[in-house]
């Protein structure tokens, strides 16, 4: 029997606010343990939460960016359970009436668009951190740091529209790109600012009904998500083929072994006893507020790609690469403000610039070559001052020294030789120096033409205009 | 001259005329506590040293200033569920017996800004769950009028301390009647403001949507003075009302002519003690004589209030009390085998029976499969009860009822039957469900010499009307002037 | 509806409390009596009634996103039953 997987993702994204969702404590990462805490996020008796406006606006932005319907009225609820990283014994979250529902994200699947539905988006507070080893002498203990408690999260729940691990990774990458574009989450999976759980089931191809699902946790990179899903799908198919039943349970991905492990042992009945939090009042989002927030949303990747294709007449592939981050796209647009050759600009950015940045492991923001410098260099190519080949040298020098290209060309004497007389002289010298090859060419060995081009270019230290060299050589050699 | 028997307004006059000092007042009150508290157990913590220091501070302000606040240098007591910075705040529970908050509740900050002198933390039913102050980890509080009887609850210590003149006034909290019922039992004025009128920030929560801080005092004038100090918007409490607070002393007008006083027939039920009924009926007659218009009103869903209350209050409590887990503060059980065992032992040993019972009930009504049948249904009936009041206040300005069906009962009388205990809140609970304001004032005595309380209710943010009605009643009676004899 | 001893035990477990045999029996009896009383609400038809979870009509109480740590670290930890190196200490959590 052939099976297909049914996957839904629950993504938690940490919001880039200065303060926590329900109190004024700093969200700064890396402070001393429990330094960023107060009566509210420690859950001291009598402390009360007050909602951070920015979190609401960030959630609205994500909702708008994923085509969700923003709820005119939403409320907060308490999710009750005991855990040492949860200081109040409940998490303030949204349950009934979340801030947004019914959205979508489209992914590019080998050139075809696929739409993945978004079920809901809601706001909630993060839990603290438990450390099990390496803190104190006492090995029978775990250690609680509540700095992260009450840091704002939004949870984005997808529809079970995902069918393969690859689709899951593409969906997550796209979602991450949107969050990073909106500048509301840093998207760092390793550090936990972006976390992903998956609901996975399998069913025979053609069957409507979903199979029993497992919830996968602890997949803190794109690679692990694909691996965990691949393993889990195989495991479920194998289980069914063995005539066994799938158990609804939570499974943890063991990154070292590459397998998922049942957490059933700890699984007590989940009875979260959600109810509206009486300490917080309902959230009312009217058209005015909605529009105000909407107006602040930047152009999103899909729109940007389309615009780049039409406005700059570059291939969709180029537009996609250039739009991969907002900063790169901005860099490109800044560059083409100063030059008309949008395709050449794209080529340089996608090629040399991205390669150098990758080598140095830096982001486009830190690129030593400014858009203006790149555009200037392109200008020099276009007006024939330098050849494309010389341009490589100029670029390297520019990247290294941050000097303007014309200065480099001047200092190093890299101006292209376009004087036919000078080139003819060089050709003559080359012929004179290589009589054998000249004879052979004359005798019909056509492929030696390239040899002569190379020799002339070499003699000119690469500065001779290649087109002219070609033309003049052809004349001289015949 | 016993300063302890004086009202705040009188003490303030003497301070203003520099006839006495706050230190003298405070010393007298501290002595009074020493003399009487082993008989009634109002206090969990007496702040002798702090109080003396604050009194000296207050005297400095008084000496430099002619225009100081009405509470400057006045000794007040605080129910032990209002957070006081660096002063143990126990909630009457073992689980917080060693907890000392690193911050002040907003109302404490306000009292301090008014230079009041906090003399101590007052006894209460554990986590404010009770109507008799018998469930405190620190022992029961006794009624100063008859020490075999309960002082009411949960703010029993607040009521007994004011009645016994151990402090000039006190701050308590009212979730289902916890201010009004003990005020009635102890013959003092107890005022529960409108939900949202006083910040809950720093008030240890029992049921967040019902809890409200309020005052105990010897008369209505002192009540107005206390309310002036503690009411007002607080950005740290999302449910706090952003409304201007009137000067409540302006409502101290001896006049009820034309005031429409509503009498809900549902409150005059079987089971009301005959002497209580007589005192309340006499009060109605007095109001009529003083020119008020007495109107019959209906509050048809009254009989459901206790049921609604015990679902909503316990549900919220079960969640509010989840934080007492032995991790961050308070009691932690020794010898736990593992985390789960630590949680369970801590909570099993840390909470008393009544608290456990309510956590159980609240957990049950929220649990999977029962939410709609209990919690949601209760919320809907809450809507009906709220609407009853809205309709009633179309016909009247103030509602008058007995505060409790009986005067103070005997210690131990109802401890074995929780439901009977719950039913002693039957007249006070609805006001919390609707969020309206209410007060209990002394309106007579039983033949045993026990005080009887009269409850006055008004719509949201109409505290001034209650003060006016209460003040008028006081000006024409002298029940509030009688004090218990504690020897 | 009648609450069973098993339900009482389940609820105690959810609420992280141990019950002795006697307590379980006592609570079952008492809660049953209370729930029986509460079932009084079933005589009302509330299908068309909106629930009330708060008696305030406020909306949108929001604060500005400004960071300001109000506690010193000692204050955060001052009531901790067990602490070490700035952390709260709990019996080992097995994950």
């Amino acid at each position: 029997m052939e099976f297909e997987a049914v996957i839904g993702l629950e993504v938690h994204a940490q919001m880039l606010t200065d303060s926590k969702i329900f109190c004024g404590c700093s969200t700064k990462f890396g402070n001393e343990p429990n330094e960023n805490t107060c009566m509210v996020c420690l859950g001291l008796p009598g402390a009360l939460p007050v909602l951070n406006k920015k979190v609401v606006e960030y959630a609205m932005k994500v909702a708008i960016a994923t085509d969700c319907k923003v709820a005119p009225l939403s409320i907060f609820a308490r999710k009750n359970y005991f855990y040492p990283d949860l200081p109040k014994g409940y998490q303030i979250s949204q349950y009934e009436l979340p801030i947004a529902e019914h959205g979508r994200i489209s992914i590019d699947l080998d050139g075809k668009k696929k739409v993945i539905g978004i079920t809901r988006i809601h706001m909630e507070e993060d839990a603290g951190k438990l450390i099990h080893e390496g803190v104190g002498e006492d090995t029978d203990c775990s250690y609680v740091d509540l700095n992260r408690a009450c840091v704002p999260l939004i949870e984005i729940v997808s529809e079970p529209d995902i069918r393969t691990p690859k689709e899951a990774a593409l969906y997550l990458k796209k979602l991450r790109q949107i969050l990073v574009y909106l500048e509301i989450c840093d998207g760092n999976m390793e550090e936990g600012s972006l976390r992903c759980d998956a609901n996975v089931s399998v069913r025979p191809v053609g069957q409507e009904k979903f199979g029993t699902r497992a919830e996968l946790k602890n997949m803190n990179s794109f690679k692990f998500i694909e691996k965990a899903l691949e393993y889990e799908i195989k495991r479920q198919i194998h289980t069914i083929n063995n005539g066994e039943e799938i158990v609804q349970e939570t499974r943890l991905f063991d990154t070292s072994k590459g397998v998922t492990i049942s957490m059933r042992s700890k699984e007590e009945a989940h009875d979260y006893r959600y109810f509206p939090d009486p300490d917080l009042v309902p959230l009312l989002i009217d058209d005015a507020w909605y529009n105000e927030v909407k107006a602040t949303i930047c152009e999103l990747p899909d729109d940007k790609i389309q615009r780049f294709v039409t406005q700059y007449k570059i291939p969709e592939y180029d537009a996609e690469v250039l739009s991969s981050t907002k900063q790169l796209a901005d860099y490109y647009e800044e560059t083409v403000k100063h030059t008309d050759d949008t395709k050449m600009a794209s080529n340089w950015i996608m090629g040399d610039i991205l390669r150098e940045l990758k080598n140095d492991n830096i982001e486009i923001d830190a690129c030593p070559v400014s858009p203006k410098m790149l555009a200037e260099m392109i200008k020099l190519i276009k007006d024939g001052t330098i050849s494309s080949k010389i341009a490589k040298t100029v670029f390297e020098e520019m990247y290294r020294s941050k000097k303007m290209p014309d200065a480099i060309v001047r200092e190093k004497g890299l101006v292209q030789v376009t004087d036919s007389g000078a080139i003819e002289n060089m050709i003559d010298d080359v012929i004179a120096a290589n009589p054998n090859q000249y004879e052979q060419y004359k005798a019909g060995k056509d492929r030696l033409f390239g040899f002569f081009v190379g020799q002339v270019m070499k003699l000119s230290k690469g500065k001779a205009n290649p087109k002219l060299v070609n033309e003049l050589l052809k004349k001289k050699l015949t | 001259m016993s300063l302890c028997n004086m009202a705040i307004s009188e003490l303030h006059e003497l301070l203003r005329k520099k006839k006495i000092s706050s230190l003298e007042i405070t010393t007298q009150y501290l002595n009074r506590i020493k003399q009487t508290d082993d008989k009634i157990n109002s206090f969990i913590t007496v702040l002798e040293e702090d109080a003396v220091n604050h009194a000296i501070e207050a005297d400095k302000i008084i000496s430099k200033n002619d225009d100081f606040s009405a509470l400057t240098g006045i000794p007040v007591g605080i129910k032990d569920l209002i957070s006081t910075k660096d002063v143990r705040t126990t909630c009457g529970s073992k689980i917080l017996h060693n907890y000392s908050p690193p911050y002040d509740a907003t109302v404490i900050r306000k009292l301090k800004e008014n230079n009041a002198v906090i003399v101590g933390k007052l006894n209460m039913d554990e986590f404010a769950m009770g109507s008799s102050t018998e469930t405190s980890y620190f022992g029961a509080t006794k009624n100063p009028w008859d020490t075999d009887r309960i002082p009411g609850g949960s703010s029993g210590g607040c009521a007994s301390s004011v009645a016994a003149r151990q402090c000039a006034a006190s701050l308590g909290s009212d979730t289902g009647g916890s201010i009004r019922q003990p005020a009635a039992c102890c013959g003092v004025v107890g005022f529960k403001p409108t939900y949202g009128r006083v910040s809950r920030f720093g008030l240890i929560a029992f049921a967040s949507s019902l809890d409200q801080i309020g005052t105990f005092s010897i008369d209505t004038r002192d009540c107005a003075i206390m309310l002036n100090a503690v009411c007002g918007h607080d950005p740290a409490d999302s449910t706090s009302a952003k409304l201007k607070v009137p000067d409540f002393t302006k409502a101290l007008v001896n006049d009820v002519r034309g005031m429409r006083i509503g009498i809900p027939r549902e409150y005059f039920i079987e089971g009301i003690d005959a002497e209580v009924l007589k005192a309340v009926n006499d009060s109605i007659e007095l109001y009529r004589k003083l020119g008020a218009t007495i109107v019959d009103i209906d509050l048809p869903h009254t009989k459901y209030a206790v049921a609604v209350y015990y679902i909503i209050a316990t549900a919220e409590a079960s969640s509010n009390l989840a934080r007492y887990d032995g991790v961050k503060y308070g009691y932690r059980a020794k010898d736990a085998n593992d985390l789960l065992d630590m949680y369970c032992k801590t909570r099993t040993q840390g909470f008393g029976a009544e608290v456990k019972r309510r956590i159980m009930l609240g957990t049950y009504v929220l649990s999977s499969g029962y939410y709609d049948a209990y919690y949601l249904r209760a919320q809907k009936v809450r809507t009906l009860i709220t609407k009853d009041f809205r309709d009633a206040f179309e016909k009247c300005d103030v509602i008058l009822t007995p505060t409790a069906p009986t005067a103070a009962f005997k210690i131990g009388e109802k401890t074995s039957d929780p439901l009977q205990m719950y039913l002693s809140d039957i007249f006070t609970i609805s006001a919390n469900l609707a969020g309206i304001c209410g007060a209990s004032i002394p309106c007579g005595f039983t033949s045993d010499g026990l005080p009887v309380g009269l409850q006055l209710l008004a719509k949201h943010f109409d505290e001034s009307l209650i003060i006016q009605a209460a003040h008028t009643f006081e000006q024409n009676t002298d029940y509030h002037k009688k004090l218990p004899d504690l020897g | 509806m009648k609450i069973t001893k098993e339900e009482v035990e389940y609820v105690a477990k959810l609420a992280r409390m141990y019950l002795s045999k006697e307590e379980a029996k006592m609570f079952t009896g008492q809660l049953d009596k209370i729930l029986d009383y509460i079932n009084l609400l079933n005589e009302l038809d509330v299908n068309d009634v909106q629930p009330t979870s708060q008696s305030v009509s406020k909306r949108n109480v929001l604060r500005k996103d400004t960071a300001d740590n109000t506690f010193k670290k000692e204050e955060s930890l001052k009531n901790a039953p067990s602490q070490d190196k700035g952390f709260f200490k709990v019996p080992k959590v097995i994950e």
Side-chain angles (χ1 to χ4, degrees), chain A residues 18-20 23-24 26 33-34 36-38 51-53 83 132 140 142 144 271 278 280 282-284, chain C residues 10 14 16 54 58 60 62-63 65 67-71 73 76 85-90 92-93 95:
Chain A
D18 291 333
S19 64
K20 295 184 177 183
C23 65
S26 167
N34 295 303
N36 301 349
T37 57
C38 72
L51 180 60
N52 183 339
K53 186 177 183 189
Y83 212 60
H132 307 295
D140 286 342
S142 294
V144 188
D271 194 339
L280 290 159
L283 189 63
L284 201 80
Chain C
Y10 167 76
L14 269 183
R16 297 292 184 272
Q54 285 173 316
K58 296 185 80 180
N60 295 9
L62 301 159
R63 39 168 281 271
D65 179 37
D68 178 21
N69 284 2
T70 47
F71 274 12
K73 222 176 113 172
S76 298
K85 299 194 167 64
F87 292 88
F88 296 97
K89 235 167 101 174
V90 294
K92 186 126 195 146
V93 180
E95 281 187 301

Coordinates of all heavy atoms in Angstrom, one line a residue, chain A residues 18-20 23-24 26 33-34 36-38 51-53 83 132 140 142 144 271 278 280 282-284, chain C residues 10 14 16 54 58 60 62-63 65 67-71 73 76 85-90 92-93 95:
Chain A
D18 N 11.5 45.2 23.3 CA 12.4 45.6 24.3 C 12.0 45.0 25.7 O 12.9 44.6 26.5 CB 12.5 47.1 24.5 CG 13.2 47.8 23.2 OD1 14.0 47.1 22.6 OD2 12.9 48.9 23.0
S19 N 10.7 45.0 25.9 CA 10.3 44.5 27.2 C 9.4 43.3 27.0 O 9.0 42.9 25.9 CB 9.5 45.6 27.9 OG 8.3 46.0 27.2
K20 N 9.0 42.6 28.1 CA 8.3 41.4 28.1 C 6.8 41.7 27.7 O 6.4 42.8 27.7 CB 8.4 40.7 29.4 CG 9.8 40.2 29.7 CD 9.9 39.4 31.0 CE 11.4 38.9 31.2 NZ 11.5 38.0 32.4
C23 N 5.0 42.6 31.4 CA 5.7 43.4 32.4 C 6.9 44.2 31.7 O 7.2 43.9 30.6 CB 6.2 42.6 33.6 SG 7.5 41.4 33.2
G24 N 7.5 45.1 32.5 CA 8.5 45.9 31.9 C 9.9 45.3 31.9 O 10.8 46.1 31.6
S26 N 13.3 43.6 30.9 CA 14.0 43.5 29.7 C 14.0 42.1 29.1 O 14.0 41.1 29.8 CB 15.5 43.9 29.9 OG 16.3 43.6 28.8
P33 N 21.4 35.0 35.4 CA 20.2 34.3 35.6 C 19.3 35.1 36.6 O 19.7 35.7 37.6 CB 20.6 33.0 36.3 CG 22.0 33.1 36.7 CD 22.6 34.1 35.7
N34 N 18.0 35.1 36.2 CA 16.9 35.8 37.0 C 17.2 37.3 37.2 O 16.6 37.9 38.1 CB 16.8 35.1 38.4 CG 16.2 33.7 38.2 OD1 15.2 33.5 37.6 ND2 17.0 32.7 38.7
N36 N 16.5 39.5 34.8 CA 15.4 40.2 34.1 C 14.1 39.7 34.7 O 13.3 39.1 33.9 CB 15.4 39.9 32.6 CG 16.7 40.4 31.9 OD1 17.5 41.1 32.5 ND2 16.8 39.9 30.7
T37 N 13.9 39.9 36.0 CA 12.6 39.4 36.5 C 12.0 40.4 37.5 O 12.8 41.3 38.0 CB 12.8 38.1 37.3 OG1 13.8 38.3 38.3 CG2 13.2 36.9 36.4
C38 N 10.7 40.3 37.6 CA 10.0 41.2 38.6 C 8.9 40.5 39.2 O 8.7 39.3 38.9 CB 9.6 42.5 37.9 SG 8.2 42.2 36.8
L51 N -0.7 44.2 29.2 CA -0.3 43.8 27.9 C 0.6 44.9 27.2 O 0.3 46.0 27.1 CB -1.5 43.5 27.0 CG -1.3 43.0 25.6 CD1 -0.5 41.8 25.5 CD2 -2.7 42.8 24.9
N52 N 1.7 44.4 26.5 CA 2.6 45.2 25.8 C 2.0 45.5 24.4 O 1.7 44.6 23.6 CB 3.9 44.4 25.6 CG 5.0 45.2 24.9 OD1 4.7 46.1 24.2 ND2 6.2 44.8 25.1
K53 N 1.8 46.7 24.1 CA 1.1 47.1 22.8 C 1.8 46.6 21.6 O 1.2 46.2 20.6 CB 1.0 48.6 22.8 CG 0.1 49.2 21.6 CD 0.0 50.7 21.7 CE -0.9 51.1 20.5 NZ -1.0 52.6 20.4
Y83 N 4.8 23.2 36.0 CA 6.2 23.0 35.6 C 7.1 24.0 36.2 O 6.7 25.2 36.3 CB 6.3 23.0 34.1 CG 7.3 22.0 33.5 CD1 7.2 20.7 33.8 CD2 8.4 22.5 32.8 CE1 8.2 19.8 33.3 CE2 9.4 21.6 32.3 CZ 9.2 20.2 32.6 OH 10.2 19.4 32.2
H132 N 19.8 21.5 33.6 CA 19.9 20.3 34.3 C 21.3 20.0 34.8 O 21.6 19.2 35.7 CB 19.4 19.1 33.5 CG 18.0 19.4 33.0 ND1 16.9 19.6 33.9 CD2 17.5 19.6 31.8 CE1 15.8 19.8 33.2 NE2 16.1 19.9 31.9
D140 N 21.5 16.3 41.8 CA 20.1 15.8 41.9 C 19.1 17.0 41.6 O 17.9 16.8 41.9 CB 19.8 15.4 43.4 CG 20.5 14.0 43.6 OD1 20.8 13.4 42.6 OD2 20.7 13.7 44.8
S142 N 17.7 20.5 39.3 CA 17.6 21.3 38.1 C 17.6 22.7 38.6 O 17.2 23.0 39.7 CB 16.4 21.0 37.3 OG 16.5 19.6 36.8
V144 N 16.5 26.8 37.8 CA 15.5 27.6 37.1 C 15.9 29.0 36.9 O 16.3 29.7 37.9 CB 14.1 27.6 37.8 CG1 13.0 28.2 37.0 CG2 13.8 26.1 38.3
D271 N -4.9 18.2 30.6 CA -6.2 18.8 30.9 C -5.8 20.2 31.3 O -5.7 20.5 32.5 CB -6.9 18.0 32.0 CG -8.4 18.4 32.1 OD1 -8.7 19.5 31.6 OD2 -9.2 17.6 32.6
P278 N -9.0 36.5 34.0 CA -9.8 37.7 34.5 C -8.9 38.9 34.8 O -9.4 40.0 35.0 CB -10.4 37.1 35.8 CG -9.6 35.9 36.2 CD -8.9 35.4 34.9
L280 N -6.8 40.2 32.6 CA -6.6 41.0 31.4 C -8.0 41.3 30.7 O -8.9 40.5 30.8 CB -5.7 40.2 30.4 CG -4.3 40.1 30.9 CD1 -3.6 38.9 30.2 CD2 -3.5 41.3 30.6
P282 N -10.4 42.3 27.3 CA -10.4 42.0 25.9 C -9.7 43.0 25.0 O -9.6 44.2 25.4 CB -11.9 42.0 25.6 CG -12.6 41.7 26.9 CD -11.8 42.4 27.9
L283 N -9.2 42.5 23.9 CA -8.5 43.3 23.0 C -9.4 43.6 21.8 O -9.9 42.7 21.2 CB -7.3 42.5 22.5 CG -6.2 43.2 21.7 CD1 -5.6 44.3 22.5 CD2 -5.2 42.2 21.3
L284 N -9.6 44.9 21.6 CA -10.5 45.3 20.5 C -9.6 46.0 19.4 O -8.9 46.9 19.6 CB -11.4 46.4 21.1 CG -12.7 46.6 20.3 CD1 -13.7 45.5 20.7 CD2 -13.3 47.9 20.7
Chain C
Y10 N -8.6 12.1 40.4 CA -8.1 12.7 39.2 C -7.9 14.2 39.4 O -6.8 14.7 39.0 CB -9.0 12.4 38.0 CG -8.8 13.2 36.8 CD1 -7.7 12.9 35.9 CD2 -9.6 14.3 36.4 CE1 -7.5 13.6 34.8 CE2 -9.4 15.1 35.3 CZ -8.3 14.7 34.4 OH -8.1 15.4 33.3
L14 N -4.5 16.5 39.2 CA -4.3 17.7 38.4 C -3.9 18.9 39.2 O -3.1 19.7 38.8 CB -5.7 18.0 37.7 CG -6.0 17.5 36.4 CD1 -7.4 18.0 36.0 CD2 -5.0 17.8 35.3
R16 N -2.2 18.7 41.9 CA -0.9 18.4 42.6 C -1.1 18.4 44.1 O -0.5 19.1 44.9 CB 0.2 19.4 42.3 CG 0.6 19.4 40.8 CD 1.3 18.1 40.4 NE 1.8 18.1 39.1 CZ 1.1 17.8 38.0 NH1 -0.1 17.3 38.2 NH2 1.6 17.8 36.8
Q54 N -16.0 39.1 33.4 CA -15.5 40.2 34.1 C -16.6 41.2 34.3 O -17.5 41.3 33.4 CB -14.4 40.9 33.4 CG -13.1 40.2 33.4 CD -12.1 40.8 32.4 OE1 -12.4 41.2 31.3 NE2 -10.9 40.9 32.9
K58 N -13.9 47.4 30.3 CA -12.7 48.0 29.7 C -12.2 47.2 28.5 O -12.4 46.0 28.5 CB -11.6 48.1 30.8 CG -11.9 49.0 31.9 CD -10.7 49.1 32.8 CE -9.7 50.2 32.2 NZ -8.6 50.3 33.1
N60 N -8.7 47.0 25.7 CA -7.4 47.6 25.3 C -6.6 48.3 26.3 O -6.3 49.5 26.2 CB -7.5 48.5 24.1 CG -8.0 47.7 22.9 OD1 -8.4 46.6 23.0 ND2 -8.0 48.4 21.7
L62 N -3.2 48.7 27.5 CA -1.9 48.4 26.9 C -0.8 49.3 27.5 O -1.1 50.4 27.9 CB -2.0 48.7 25.4 CG -3.1 47.9 24.7 CD1 -3.4 48.5 23.3 CD2 -2.6 46.4 24.4
R63 N 0.4 48.7 27.6 CA 1.5 49.5 28.0 C 2.5 49.7 26.9 O 2.5 48.9 25.9 CB 2.2 48.9 29.2 CG 2.3 47.4 29.2 CD 3.3 46.9 30.3 NE 4.6 47.1 29.9 CZ 5.3 46.2 29.2 NH1 4.8 45.0 28.9 NH2 6.6 46.5 28.8
D65 N 6.1 49.7 25.0 CA 7.2 48.7 25.1 C 8.5 49.4 25.5 O 9.4 49.7 24.8 CB 7.4 48.1 23.7 CG 8.5 47.1 23.7 OD1 8.7 46.4 24.7 OD2 9.2 47.0 22.7
A67 N 11.6 48.9 28.4 CA 12.2 48.0 29.3 C 12.7 48.7 30.6 O 13.4 49.7 30.4 CB 13.3 47.2 28.7
D68 N 12.4 48.1 31.7 CA 12.8 48.7 33.0 C 12.8 47.6 34.0 O 11.7 47.3 34.5 CB 11.9 49.9 33.3 CG 12.2 50.5 34.6 OD1 13.4 50.4 35.1 OD2 11.3 51.2 35.2
N69 N 13.9 47.1 34.3 CA 13.9 46.0 35.3 C 13.7 46.6 36.7 O 14.4 47.5 37.2 CB 15.3 45.2 35.3 CG 15.4 44.3 34.2 OD1 14.5 44.2 33.3 ND2 16.5 43.6 34.1
T70 N 12.6 46.1 37.4 CA 12.2 46.8 38.6 C 12.8 46.1 39.8 O 12.9 46.7 40.9 CB 10.7 46.7 38.8 OG1 10.2 45.4 38.5 CG2 10.0 47.7 37.9
F71 N 13.3 44.9 39.7 CA 13.8 44.2 40.8 C 15.3 44.1 40.7 O 15.9 43.9 39.7 CB 13.3 42.7 40.9 CG 11.9 42.6 41.6 CD1 11.2 43.7 42.0 CD2 11.5 41.4 42.0 CE1 10.0 43.6 42.6 CE2 10.2 41.2 42.6 CZ 9.5 42.4 42.9
K73 N 18.4 41.5 41.6 CA 18.4 40.1 41.6 C 18.2 39.5 43.0 O 17.4 38.5 43.1 CB 19.8 39.6 41.1 CG 19.7 38.5 40.1 CD 21.0 38.1 39.5 CE 21.4 36.7 40.1 NZ 22.6 36.2 39.4
S76 N 14.5 39.2 43.6 CA 13.8 38.1 43.0 C 14.0 36.8 43.7 O 13.2 36.0 43.7 CB 14.4 38.0 41.5 OG 14.2 39.2 40.8
K85 N 23.7 30.0 42.9 CA 24.3 30.7 41.8 C 23.3 31.5 41.0 O 23.4 31.7 39.8 CB 25.1 29.8 40.9 CG 26.2 29.0 41.6 CD 27.2 28.4 40.6 CE 28.4 27.9 41.2 NZ 28.3 26.9 42.3
G86 N 22.4 32.1 41.7 CA 21.4 33.0 41.1 C 20.2 32.2 40.5 O 19.3 32.8 39.9
F87 N 20.2 30.9 40.6 CA 19.1 30.1 40.1 C 18.2 29.6 41.2 O 18.6 29.4 42.3 CB 19.6 28.8 39.4 CG 20.4 29.1 38.1 CD1 21.7 29.3 38.1 CD2 19.7 29.1 36.9 CE1 22.4 29.6 36.9 CE2 20.4 29.3 35.7 CZ 21.8 29.5 35.7
F88 N 16.9 29.4 40.9 CA 16.0 28.7 41.8 C 16.4 27.2 41.6 O 16.6 26.8 40.5 CB 14.6 28.9 41.4 CG 14.1 30.3 41.6 CD1 14.0 31.2 40.5 CD2 13.7 30.8 42.9 CE1 13.6 32.5 40.7 CE2 13.3 32.1 43.0 CZ 13.2 32.9 42.0
K89 N 16.4 26.5 42.7 CA 16.8 25.1 42.7 C 15.6 24.2 42.9 O 14.8 24.5 43.8 CB 17.8 24.8 43.8 CG 19.1 24.2 43.3 CD 20.2 24.3 44.3 CE 20.3 22.9 45.0 NZ 21.5 22.9 46.0
V90 N 15.4 23.2 42.1 CA 14.3 22.3 42.2 C 14.8 20.8 42.1 O 15.9 20.6 41.5 CB 13.2 22.5 41.2 CG1 12.5 23.8 41.4 CG2 13.7 22.4 39.8
K92 N 15.5 17.4 40.6 CA 15.9 17.2 39.2 C 14.6 16.9 38.3 O 13.8 16.1 38.6 CB 16.8 16.0 39.1 CG 17.4 15.8 37.7 CD 18.9 15.7 37.7 CE 19.4 15.9 36.3 NZ 20.7 16.6 36.4
V93 N 14.6 17.6 37.2 CA 13.5 17.4 36.3 C 14.0 16.4 35.2 O 15.1 16.7 34.6 CB 13.1 18.7 35.6 CG1 12.0 18.5 34.6 CG2 12.7 19.7 36.6
E95 N 13.8 14.9 31.7 CA 13.1 15.2 30.4 C 13.3 14.1 29.4 O 14.3 13.4 29.4 CB 13.6 16.6 29.8 CG 12.9 17.7 30.5 CD 13.2 19.1 29.9 OE1 14.4 19.4 29.8 OE2 12.3 19.7 29.5

